[in-house]
Amino acid sequence: MKKLISGISALLTAAMLIAPMSAFADTTINPDPDNMPNPKPGTAPTTVEFSVEPTYSVTIPAKVELADNGSGIYENSGIIEAEDVFLEPNQAIAVTISGDFELENEIDSGITVGYQAEAPWGIAGNGDIAAIFGTSDEPQFANIEFSTTEDPQYAGNYRDTVTFGISIMTM
């Protein structure tokens, strides 16, 4: 039995050695026929390339609870964080903010209190940029301040939802 297996193995190995092998290339280099019988070596260019996709991770505050600052205005801040930002040259991550900017009373949605969001360079209205982050291995942070723009007229719990959008912009 061992002889049979060894014989088959040797036969397959010999068949593999006889099988033709092919190599393919996009550019063929031939000797220069003008210099025969002493041909010069030929040359041809090869392009080497690769592609890297942009990567990033952006974290927005899940919840910001406003607190009375002692003057009837309620305020607090949240942090927008970007990590592992790897973009093309002259690109940045733009974080926008959108919403009604009206806190509704949980018992009566007709009772509202206006509020605003302030980004590092000023008040961020509906669709405005709240933060910009460039390529960096280090974590990046942007503070966003929320504050009411009027005194509440009734007690109760007030709530609104803002939406943060993430896009890549060209600088």
Side-chain angles (χ1 to χ4, degrees), residues 56-61 80-82 92-99 101 121 124-133 144 161-169:
Y56 57 86
S57 175
V58 176
T59 305
I60 59 168
I80 303 169
E81 179 180 359
I93 294 172
V95 180
T96 58
I97 188 168
S98 296
F101 297 100
W121 44 82
N126 197 16
D128 287 344
I129 294 176
I132 297 175
F133 302 108
I144 186 157
T161 301
V162 293
T163 302
F164 290 94
I166 310 297
S167 63
I168 296 176
M169 63 184 272

Side-chain angles (χ1 to χ4, degrees), residues 1 8 14 16 26 29 33 39 45-46 53 60 66 68 91-92 100-102 115 117 126 137 139-140 142 144 153 157:
M1 184 67 163
I8 292 172
M16 288 174 48
D26 292 328
I29 302 172
T46 296
E53 295 296 319
I60 59 168
L66 305 184
D68 189 349
Q91 286 187 335
D100 295 332
F101 297 100
E102 291 285 327
Y115 72 101
N126 197 16
D137 292 338
Q140 302 171 68
I144 186 157
Q153 300 302 306
N157 294 319

Side-chain angles (χ1 to χ4, degrees), residues 18-25:
I18 297 171
M21 298 295 232
S22 299
F24 298 99

Side-chain angles (χ1 to χ4, degrees), residues 63-68 72-76 97 99-117 145-162:
K63 184 179 191 180
V64 177
E65 292 187 30
L66 305 184
D68 189 349
I73 299 296
Y74 291 76
E75 62 186 8
N76 204 346
I97 188 168
D100 295 332
F101 297 100
E102 291 285 327
L103 296 153
E104 293 181 357
N105 184 289
E106 285 185 350
I107 295 172
D108 183 346
S109 63
I111 299 171
T112 62
V113 175
Y115 72 101
Q116 64 188 15
E145 304 263 344
F146 295 95
S147 61
T148 57
T149 56
E150 57 189 311
D151 294 340
Q153 300 302 306
Y154 296 95
N157 294 319
Y158 292 83
R159 177 180 303 225
D160 187 38
T161 301
V162 293

Side-chain angles (χ1 to χ4, degrees), residues 23-33 40-46:
F24 298 99
D26 292 328
T27 304
T28 302
I29 302 172
N30 294 315
D32 184 352
K40 291 183 187 176
T43 62
T46 296

